[in-house]
Amino acid sequence: MSFVEYGDTIKDGDTAIVFLGHESMFPVKVQHGTVTQTKYGVIRHSTDLIGKKYGSKVTCSKGGWVFILHPTPELWTMNLPHRTQILYSTDISIITMMLELKPGSIVCESGTGSGSLSHALIRTVAPTGHLYTVEFHQQRAEKAREEFREHGVEHLVTVTNQDVCKNGFGVSNIADAVFLDIPSPWEAIGHAKSALKAEGGRICSFSPCIEQVQRTCLAMEEYGFTEINTLEILLRVYNVRTISLQIPDLGKAAEDNLSTGFDSSNPSNQGSLCAEAQPGTAQFKSGVPLREMVGHTGYLTFATKS
C-alpha cells in the first residue's frame, strides 16, 4: 500500500480508511489478529479486511456495515492524528498550483507538522521528484518519518530535525519550490533563496497574521524576489435542498379586470383587486449557503526567485 500508488487488495500492515459516512470516518492500521470497534460493531482484520478489495462493503458484528477505502492525501488530511494545526485541501490545492509543482519537482518544506501538506506534495511530485521537509520539534520529526515509512513513501521524502531559520534546508540550488509554515518566515527567506534553483524557483509562505505577512514581504524584496503577492482563500459551502418561494404576481389579475371594464381606481373595488392578486408558493431544488462558514485560516504569500 502506498499513498501514491493504488493497490486493489487490503494487505497486512496497510493503512485503510473506515468510512461510516461523509461526516464519520477514521484511519486504521490493518494487522492480523486485531479488531476495530465501531458503532455498528466489531471489524475483525483477519477475516473482514485482509484479502478484501478496497472499496468493499464490510458487515460489522452488530449487523451494520461500513466501507473500507484506499488512503489518499485528501482522505488523510480529513482523518490524520493532529500533532499541530494543519492545512486543509482548500489551501493545499492553491499552494500546489501556484508553486507550479509537477512530477519530478524538488520541493523544500518547513515545518512538517502533522504531515497534511507533506502527503499532498509527495503525491504531486511522484514518482521522480523529492520532498525535503524540516521540522524543529524532534518528536514530531520522528513521528513523520514513521508515518512516511508506513505509507510507503519514504523513498520520496527526507525528514530533517533542525531549525530552518538557523541551519536552512540542508540543500542548495536544487529546489523548484519552497514552502514555509513557521512563526517567523522572514528569518528563513535567505535559506530559501539558497535552496532554490538558480532562476525561476517559487516560494510560498503561510502565516495567520498580517503582521507576519508584512515582515515576510519586506524580506522577500530585500533578497530580490519578484512577483510578490498575498491572497486568502475563503471556502463557502452550499447545500442542495428543497425551498419554497412565493410565485410573483405579474399583473394577470389586473389585465383581466381591464379587459372586462373593471375600474381599479374606484375605492369600492380596491379590496376585491387585492383578494384576487394573492400569490401562491412553489417548491424547487436550490443551492443554499450555510448560515456559518469557515473564516480566516491564513494568508498565502507567493514570490519568484529572479
Side-chain angles (χ1 to χ4, degrees), residues 90-91 93-94 231-235 294-300:
T90 307
D91 288 314
S93 60
I94 196 71
L231 52 86
E232 178 185 27
I233 308 299
L234 298 177
L235 178 65
V294 177
H296 170 77
T297 56
Y299 300 103
L300 293 168

Side-chain angles (χ1 to χ4, degrees), residues 9-276:
T9 306
I10 304 172
K11 299 181 176 63
D12 188 15
D14 282 3
T15 297
I17 305 297
V18 179
F19 181 88
L20 293 82
H22 289 289
E23 302 298 327
S24 180
M25 50 184 142
F26 59 90
V28 61
K29 184 174 181 180
V30 179
Q31 292 179 309
H32 185 77
T34 304
V35 298
T36 297
Q37 295 283 349
T38 74
K39 63 181 179 181
Y40 300 126
V42 172
I43 301 173
R44 295 174 176 84
H45 293 200
S46 300
T47 57
D48 297 333
L49 298 184
I50 297 176
K52 299 290 183 65
K53 287 186 175 297
Y54 278 106
S56 297
K57 184 178 179 180
V58 174
T59 302
C60 304
S61 61
K62 292 182 181 179
W65 47 267
V66 298
F67 287 105
I68 308 300
L69 306 181
H70 192 283
T72 65
E74 291 82 7
L75 289 174
W76 186 245
T77 291
M78 297 170 64
N79 296 282
L80 58 78
H82 285 229
R83 299 183 289 272
T84 60
Q85 289 288 339
I86 69 169
L87 290 175
Y88 290 92
S89 297
T90 307
D91 288 314
I92 291 173
S93 60
I94 196 71
I95 290 169
T96 55
M97 185 189 73
M98 294 293 287
L99 288 181
E100 303 173 3
L101 301 181
K102 60 187 182 299
S105 295
I106 305 298
V107 187
C108 293
E109 175 198 26
S110 183
T112 312
S114 300
S116 173
L117 176 64
S118 303
H119 283 80
L121 294 177
I122 291 170
R123 196 262 308 271
T124 303
V125 304
T128 56
H130 201 83
L131 172 66
Y132 294 90
T133 182
V134 178
E135 173 57 52
F136 176 79
H137 194 275
Q138 182 179 359
Q139 290 180 332
R140 288 201 292 263
E142 292 174 354
K143 186 61 179 178
R145 288 194 194 97
E146 179 185 340
E147 285 181 350
F148 293 142
R149 184 170 57 255
E150 291 177 353
H151 297 165
V153 296
E154 71 275 9
H155 62 291
L156 297 170
V157 57
T158 300
V159 182
T160 306
N161 172 220
Q162 64 187 28
D163 185 351
V164 71
C165 297
K166 295 180 179 179
N167 306 114
F169 294 94
V171 296
S172 299
N173 302 319
I174 65 169
D176 297 288
V178 170
F179 177 78
L180 299 174
D181 183 8
I182 53 179
S184 53
W186 56 89
E187 296 181 1
I189 298 299
H191 293 296
K193 184 178 181 179
S194 299
L196 287 168
K197 59 186 181 181
E199 186 176 356
R202 296 279 286 167
I203 183 174
C204 175
S205 174
F206 176 90
S207 297
C209 302
I210 194 64
E211 292 82 6
Q212 294 170 301
V213 174
Q214 292 170 335
R215 296 189 65 175
T216 302
C217 289
L218 290 173
M220 288 179 175
E221 289 182 344
E222 180 182 347
Y223 280 95
F225 283 89
T226 60
E227 300 178 344
I228 302 171
N229 65 87
T230 299
L231 52 86
E232 178 185 27
I233 308 299
L234 298 177
L235 178 65
R236 191 178 191 189
V237 178
Y238 280 76
N239 282 339
V240 177
R241 66 180 186 180
T242 302
I243 64 173
S244 297
L245 289 179
Q246 287 187 333
I247 300 174
D249 177 10
L250 301 178
K252 185 177 185 302
E255 293 175 1
D256 291 344
N257 289 331
L258 289 174
S259 64
T260 58
F262 184 85
D263 184 7
S264 61
S265 63
N266 187 339
S268 62
N269 293 331
Q270 293 294 326
S272 171
L273 180 62
C274 292
E276 292 180 10

